[in-house]
Amino acid sequence: MLDHEYSVVGHNRANVGRCLAILSAALASAFVTLGALWGQLATYLGLSQWTNVLVVPVSAASIYGITHWLFNKWGWTIFFKVVGLPNIAGEWVCDGRTFDDSGNVSFQWQAQVSITQSWEKIRVYLRSAQSSSSSVSAALVSEGGGRWMLMYSYRNTPRAGEVINPHLGYCELSFQHEFNQADGDYFTARGRGTSGRMALTRMQ
């Protein structure tokens, strides 16, 4: 499955988009000004034959496309540090416990979790010895004190030969402010009907 959109409660992407648009317009104006200055300098220096080649009109729309791509790919991580929003992308080791109806541990399991994240999209992919799962929706919510909760729903597919049925699930993970550890609960439905806890540790 591909990465999907996610929400960050309290973060307005529209405001960031407006800031990128203003920046793009300012850069476009700067390019036009610099181009005009270069044309005058080239004429003064007798280099007028180069002006038509080097003075290329740059539109705000094209600059916006470039700045948006750069921000979505890399720039958001710097921005999120400034405003205190989380970057949880990376590889994680997961220790899981499944509970029975009495609240006792019925099964212990381990998995590797891969989280890919950009400004607009995210994906949580878990792979264990029994099955794999991929998120289909997600949201990040501040818990205060630098902690953030990741809430996501997922679709699980068992490996061949496993007795587990394909199922849907929901998970809530609370990340410490260093974003190196997380823990939380998960619930399954539609073919499984279990619950348990997960503890994630970032791989170094």
Side-chain angles (χ1 to χ4, degrees):
M1 293 185 179
L2 300 176
D3 294 0
H4 52 82
E5 288 77 13
Y6 69 106
S7 62
V8 181
V9 177
H11 171 59
N12 191 330
R13 286 192 174 92
N15 288 336
V16 177
R18 280 190 286 270
C19 291
L20 291 177
I22 294 171
L23 174 63
S24 301
L27 289 175
S29 298
F31 274 117
V32 171
T33 302
L34 290 174
L37 291 174
W38 164 251
Q40 294 178 4
L41 179 62
T43 301
Y44 177 78
L45 296 176
L47 302 174
S48 57
Q49 67 271 22
W50 292 97
T51 58
N52 292 333
V53 177
L54 297 179
V55 181
V56 180
V58 180
S59 68
S62 61
I63 293 179
Y64 178 81
I66 295 172
T67 55
H68 183 276
W69 184 84
L70 290 173
F71 185 84
N72 184 59
K73 192 72 174 178
W74 295 291
W76 71 275
T77 59
I78 301 173
F79 174 80
F80 272 30
K81 285 183 179 180
V82 172
V83 299
L85 297 178
N87 176 10
I88 59 173
E91 300 295 322
W92 304 77
V93 174
C94 174
D95 290 313
R97 292 175 293 163
T98 301
F99 301 134
D100 59 23
D101 294 337
S102 300
N104 300 314
V105 177
S106 61
F107 182 62
Q108 291 184 312
W109 50 274
Q110 288 76 41
Q112 182 172 338
V113 177
S114 299
I115 302 178
T116 57
Q117 182 185 9
S118 66
W119 178 46
E120 293 181 331
K121 295 186 177 183
I122 197 171
R123 184 190 181 212
V124 183
Y125 178 76
L126 182 149
R127 185 174 182 84
S128 69
Q130 294 78 32
S131 63
S132 63
S133 65
S134 185
S135 61
V136 294
S137 64
L140 283 166
V141 182
S142 174
E143 297 184 289
R147 295 179 66 95
W148 283 79
M149 178 174 287
L150 171 66
M151 304 182 297
Y152 71 96
S153 61
Y154 61 88
R155 190 180 305 275
N156 180 279
T157 303
R159 291 190 175 188
E162 294 293 335
V163 296
I164 302 174
N165 294 322
H167 58 272
L168 304 178
Y170 172 78
C171 184
E172 293 184 350
L173 291 172
S174 179
F175 287 79
Q176 296 182 2
H177 67 276
E178 301 93 349
F179 305 119
N180 289 322
Q181 291 184 323
D183 65 307
D185 302 324
Y186 71 90
F187 312 90
T188 63
R190 291 186 58 181
R192 185 141 175 83
T194 58
S195 64
R197 289 193 61 81
M198 294 164 55
L200 270 62
T201 303
R202 187 186 290 274
M203 298 175 62
Q204 301 298 326

